[in-house]
Amino acid sequence: MDKNNTQTNSFSLSNDKVSVAILLIPALIFCTIFIFIPAIGTIVGSFYSYSLTSMNNWKWVGFGNYVKATQDEYFWVALKNNFIIVFASIVLQVGVGTILAAILDRGIKHGKVIFRTIIFTPMVISSVAVSLIWLIIYDPNVGILNAIFKSIGLPTPSKGWLGDPNISIWMIMITAAWQNTGFMMVLILAGLQSVSKEVYDAAEIDGATGVKAFWYITLPMIRNVLIVAILITTIGAFKVFEFIFVFTGGGPANATQVLGTYIYLQAFNLLHMGYANAISVILLIIALFLGWLQLTSSRKA
Amino acid sequence: MTRFKLANLIAYGFVSLFSIYVLMPIIVMVLTTFKSKREIFLEPLGLPSQFGLSSFEKALSVGLGSFMLNSLIVSFFAVFLIVTISGMAAYVLSRIDFKINKFVYLLIVAGFAIPPAAVLVPLYTMVSNLNLLNSLFGVIMPLTAFGIPFTVILFYAFFLDFPKEVEEAATIDGCTKLQIFFRIIVPLSGPVIASAAIFQTVWIWNEFLLALIMLTSDDFKTLPIGLLKLRGEWTSDWGAIMAGLTIAVIPVLIVFLIFQKYFVRSLAGLGK
């Protein structure tokens, strides 16, 4: 979004303060009470030790919770998993989404709307429902994934698709890609459709067609849309919660935790509110950094 | 020429395979609903031999109807509040030009970046202290707040491109900004209001984390939280679980198919 300061402004603020206040204040009140004050509360609370059951019994621990995080093996596992999910999501969702968008834009003539509608569909289904649907597909007893693997003679994992963390993290990625790739496709398709026909005509004269034209001409032209797509995917990857909550609950032995589920575990299962706040602050810093990146990149656009 | 045909084949092949990957779980969900327990275990890849409806009865017995009603109430009020409040704020931000504007804008972007998980504990404490746990109001308020920043950004971009002549004329006629907004801007903002409402409805209808910590009583659970109860109640009765999911998912899919053009349009605008 462009912050445009050259707009003509024929209204003077001074004689319409009341209107401005009425229009602006509700948004500020809502965001302050439910986003900014809790954000400050997270930071303050991260320096204390307390639990839900002893709400009035706060104990100052300074940077103790942060020191604890650096020494907590599972915090690092959660952070690492978030980063794996970021990179895998960019490849699977933005990468495949770009290929699908390119095919729908210029690769095929028939059935564009049908394909687009089908591939976009999972976006409107809640992540909990998506997780539960995939749970039956991955199930070792009744799941079709096992059935398909067995029917073509391939081995199936002995602990099930979700029992071995080395495998289950990829099962989580496949499910996340199932839900989100269509969104990336539509986003990138909108960018592709803004590339004018003349560009392709000129490219064809220079001998660039098909994949070559896409790689050298189209991709650089939709660079900004791709950056937005990557940032949305990255932000989304740090918000991952439902898939892991439903599939593995962060287990076995915390091997599939991400920051979101680990904060939930520490706060609402173990009642380590102060410690949960410290991990939240780390998530907050990552989120604000990504938000700042998005802002600066869209200003350049 | 043969090379061209091959490229064509690969293109159609790729989108077709991907479409099968997308459709397959939905088909499994619906088919499992009608299968008998025996069929589910013995023939995972088979079709149901008859269309039994007993799974639906089991699924409805966990209270899906009331979860859905709660979701409707939460979605309606939260989306109404988000769209109204965001539209008002975005209009001011797009029309006035003074120092606080930039500050407010940065706040809004920061608010957009902060995920609910990062403020979970203080938010829970606050709602708990206000005695609003297990009330729809207690979940509508924070959800509204988290929906506002993104919607302000959406409206802001739209209002910047809005022709200013009409507003200038109205100002000369002595209208206040408030009157201009409600009498001139709102009636001409149909498309962006629809986009924002669609976007937020999908988000609120599916929101999980805040509802999970705040709504623990069955009477107030929204659909995403309620769906977990299916697994709790019918542990390995996949027919019942899938029937519940079918009941929850199919209406949303129908609404999506009817309005798919608008859905796609509202999402596509994000990249601009």
Side-chain angles (χ1 to χ4, degrees), chain A residues 66-243:
Chain A
Y66 293 96
V67 175
K68 187 176 165 189
T70 61
Q71 295 163 348
D72 179 356
E73 164 190 6
Y74 300 128
F75 162 73
W76 292 109
V77 169
L79 192 62
K80 187 193 83 188
N81 283 336
N82 268 121
F83 276 101
I84 292 175
I85 292 172
V86 167
F87 288 112
S89 300
I90 289 172
V91 173
L92 288 173
Q93 295 167 25
V94 182
V96 176
T98 305
I99 296 171
L100 289 167
I103 293 174
L104 289 193
D105 185 38
R106 294 176 59 82
I108 61 173
K109 284 199 179 66
H110 307 287
K112 286 182 189 188
V113 175
I114 296 172
F115 283 125
R116 190 191 68 189
T117 307
I118 290 174
I119 295 171
F120 185 77
T121 301
M123 190 65 203
V124 300
I125 304 175
S126 81
S127 298
V128 177
V130 169
S131 310
L132 288 170
I133 296 172
W134 279 85
L135 208 55
I136 189 178
I137 290 170
Y138 294 147
D139 189 89
N141 297 314
V142 306
I144 65 164
L145 193 61
N146 255 13
I148 292 172
F149 266 61
K150 278 177 187 157
S151 70
I152 52 177
L154 289 171
T156 54
S158 55
K159 291 178 195 160
W161 296 98
L162 298 173
D164 178 346
N166 290 321
I167 300 172
S168 57
I169 191 94
W170 295 104
M171 296 299 116
I172 290 162
M173 293 319 310
I174 288 172
T175 311
W178 183 80
Q179 182 164 37
N180 297 323
T181 306
F183 175 27
M184 288 301 125
M185 177 194 75
V186 165
L187 192 71
I188 295 160
L189 187 58
L192 288 176
Q193 282 165 347
S194 65
V195 176
S196 73
K197 230 179 140 41
E198 285 81 29
V199 175
Y200 291 104
D201 293 341
E204 210 169 322
I205 295 167
D206 293 338
T209 54
V211 175
K212 216 173 178 183
F214 180 76
W215 188 258
Y216 288 106
I217 292 152
T218 318
L219 271 190
M221 289 196 75
I222 59 160
R223 192 177 147 266
N224 289 325
V225 174
L226 288 178
I227 291 173
V228 170
I230 288 172
L231 280 168
I232 290 177
T233 305
T234 307
I235 291 169
F238 277 101
K239 287 185 185 170
V240 165
F241 187 87
E242 288 94 324
F243 300 133

Side-chain angles (χ1 to χ4, degrees), chain A residues 99 103 107-108, chain B residues 3-17:
Chain A
I99 296 171
I103 293 174
I108 61 173
Chain B
R3 223 188 104 216
F4 181 72
K5 272 182 186 160
L6 181 69
N8 235 326
L9 194 70
I10 293 172
Y12 277 106
F14 192 80
V15 284
S16 302
L17 275 179

